[in-house]
Amino acid sequence: NAGVTQTPKFRILKIGQSMTLQCAQDMNHNYMYWYRQDPGMGLKLIYYSVGAGITDKGEVPNGYNVSRSTTEDFPLRLELAAPSQTSVYFCASSYGGGAGGYNEQFFGPGTRLTVL
Amino acid sequence: GIQVEQSPPDLILQEGANSTLRCNFSDSVNNLQWFHQNPWGQLINLFYIPSGTKQNGRLSATTVATERYSLLYISSSQTTDSGVYFCAVEGDAGNNRKLIWGLGTSLAVNP
């Protein structure tokens, strides 16, 4: 199993450009998440999905959009990139939610995004 | 919402030393995970431990859910243990779906 994969690893955008960060998992997990990590901080949740066709906002959703058309893929779209979106983006997945071990989250390697 | 505090914020060790990292949380949880973020930024799952004790090699963790804290023990530290250690929790109230993260403990192990 590849686990959670993310592309690209690095990207530089100009202000106002758009891009899509790709995330895929091959563990047949139902839940997927997007987080961002700013320097010296823990991670903050942007969006999450509990299954194909279902998405919901996290703590910091402004400036981002997501879709979940398949169980495996959960792309994150940045529209009109701004310097405040310079960050490291992590995708994660879990089998489910709630207690009992189903909610253990597994993380991808991250995408380092700079907006100039 | 649930608050997560980690201590100490920074730690410097000589290779071979032992250490204990602490994570306090403000409400009951149904998920607590410890991660190591290495100097290249990769997040590595260490433990899924909402309660009880687990061990994996030189690392072990204990969560006392009733007292709302978790401890991560590193024994015989090595330079490869350097990096930031994060504690993250998911509250068990309502429809929570997110991990709330502490600010981490930055560990440097010197040879």
Side-chain angles (χ1 to χ4, degrees):
Chain A
N1 284 359
V4 180
T5 57
Q6 292 183 237
T7 55
K9 288 186 168 53
F10 305 95
R11 183 72 186 267
I12 298 175
L13 286 181
K14 294 182 179 178
I15 294 172
Q17 287 185 318
S18 301
M19 76 163 294
T20 299
L21 281 65
Q22 301 292 344
C23 174
Q25 53 89 13
D26 63 359
M27 297 177 281
N28 203 28
H29 283 175
N30 295 306
Y31 288 26
M32 295 187 75
Y33 314 81
W34 274 106
Y35 293 87
R36 60 176 285 173
Q37 184 181 28
D38 297 327
M41 304 293 287
L43 279 65
K44 291 190 184 298
L45 184 68
I46 305 171
Y47 271 95
Y48 67 94
S49 168
V50 300
I54 306 170
T55 63
D56 208 346
K57 296 178 181 178
E59 301 171 85
V60 290
N62 291 346
Y64 307 95
N65 279 302
V66 293
S67 59
R68 183 100 181 268
S69 56
T70 67
T71 300
E72 294 78 18
D73 300 296
F74 190 39
L76 177 72
R77 177 99 179 140
L78 279 72
E79 305 282 1
L80 298 175
S84 60
Q85 293 177 303
T86 294
S87 190
V88 181
Y89 292 83
F90 288 97
C91 179
S93 71
S94 66
Y95 184 75
Y102 300 111
N103 56 351
E104 182 177 4
Q105 295 190 22
F106 297 86
F107 284 77
T111 294
R112 188 175 297 273
L113 177 67
T114 302
V115 182
L116 300 174
Chain B
I2 196 166
Q3 306 292 318
V4 181
E5 292 183 356
Q6 292 186 244
S7 60
D10 300 283
L11 188 57
I12 300 174
L13 298 176
Q14 283 301 121
E15 203 167 22
N18 304 327
S19 63
T20 301
L21 283 58
R22 187 176 180 104
C23 172
N24 291 335
F25 45 95
S26 61
D27 211 338
S28 54
V29 299
N30 63 17
N31 182 3
L32 188 147
Q33 292 182 241
W34 282 98
F35 297 88
H36 175 212
Q37 188 166 38
N38 64 23
W40 296 270
Q42 187 180 10
L43 278 170
I44 300 161
N45 280 35
L46 296 178
F47 295 103
Y48 171 85
I49 189 164
S51 64
T53 297
K54 290 185 177 179
Q55 179 152 10
N56 184 2
R58 295 181 296 103
L59 301 182
S60 63
T62 294
T63 297
V64 183
T66 53
E67 297 188 23
R68 299 183 182 165
Y69 71 89
S70 182
L71 302 174
L72 178 69
Y73 305 96
I74 304 174
S75 64
S76 304
S77 58
Q78 300 176 358
T79 55
T80 52
D81 294 332
S82 297
V84 182
Y85 289 81
F86 287 103
C87 167
V89 306
E90 178 182 334
D92 67 0
N95 210 22
N96 284 309
R97 294 285 183 263
K98 58 189 179 188
L99 285 176
I100 304 298
W101 294 67
L103 294 180
T105 292
S106 180
L107 173 65
V109 181
N110 294 326

